[in-house]
Amino acid sequence: MASPPLRRLLCRTVVLSALAALGGAPVAQALSFMPAKDIPRAVSFGGACIGCDLSGRQLPGARFLGADFSGSSLIGANLRRVHFTGADFSGSDLTRSDLTGAAITGADFDEARLKDARLDGALIRGASFKGADFDGASLKDAAFAGVDLSNARNLRQEQLDTACSVGTVRLPRGLTLRPCPQD
């Protein structure tokens, strides 16, 4: 496994590469001189940043398209209105992260830590949460579709009482999820 400084360099390289592809080299060069916590809002991530430390980062509206962020730390990250499509966050730590209004489709959150994370208003479709820890996570107005939560840890009925389902959602024994209202 790479040393922490090498992982940080690799993460920064992934971010800079994504920005260069989106907005040309001047945008990527400008980012290299910005404080570490400031990342532009119009960002798409692909590729791999395994084990990266993105704790406290401001990434509202970012798009993670097939990106591999497995084992990464996103503690306290602002991930409001992000799009996780086919992204891998297995084993990642999203403790206290704000995923309000996120669109999560086909993403892997197996063994992820979502302790005290906010998933309020998130639309979660076909994502995997095997062994994910939902201790204290807020799911207010979250909508689940085609998700298997049956092996999620620390998921409580009180959390699910504020969420809803569209179609089939597998839950741990004894827990229920109301259907989402039809508009």
Side-chain angles (χ1 to χ4, degrees):
M1 174 170 268
S3 67
L6 180 57
R7 279 198 307 265
R8 282 193 294 276
L9 177 63
L10 290 172
C11 288
R12 190 173 196 104
T13 301
V14 168
V15 170
L16 292 174
S17 297
L19 287 173
L22 289 173
V27 173
Q29 289 170 349
L31 179 63
S32 66
F33 296 106
M34 296 174 69
K37 300 286 186 196
D38 296 333
I39 298 178
R41 292 178 187 242
V43 177
S44 290
F45 295 100
C49 194
I50 299 166
C52 292
D53 185 358
L54 298 173
S55 296
R57 297 287 196 242
Q58 300 297 313
L59 297 166
R63 297 179 182 277
F64 294 83
L65 308 170
D68 186 353
F69 282 79
S70 57
S72 292
S73 178
L74 291 104
I75 298 169
N78 178 350
L79 300 168
R80 294 173 72 89
R81 299 174 318 282
V82 296
H83 292 258
F84 292 133
T85 305
D88 184 355
F89 285 87
S90 60
S92 292
D93 190 348
L94 291 113
T95 298
R96 295 184 316 281
S97 289
D98 187 352
L99 292 106
T100 300
I104 301 171
T105 305
D108 181 350
F109 287 89
D110 291 352
E111 301 297 328
R113 285 177 297 285
L114 296 159
K115 182 177 174 33
D116 299 320
R118 292 187 65 187
L119 290 120
D120 300 342
L123 176 56
I124 305 166
R125 291 180 266 182
S128 177
F129 291 95
K130 183 188 226 178
D133 185 358
F134 281 88
D135 187 31
S138 177
L139 302 173
K140 182 179 181 198
D141 299 324
F144 293 91
V147 175
D148 185 353
L149 295 167
S150 62
N151 292 311
R153 296 179 295 127
N154 298 313
L155 188 60
R156 310 257 186 283
Q157 185 61 52
E158 297 79 35
Q159 294 165 295
L160 294 175
D161 285 343
T162 63
C164 65
S165 69
V166 177
T168 304
V169 175
R170 294 187 58 201
L171 297 167
R173 179 168 290 177
L175 298 182
T176 61
L177 191 57
R178 67 180 167 82
C180 292
Q182 300 291 326
D183 289 333

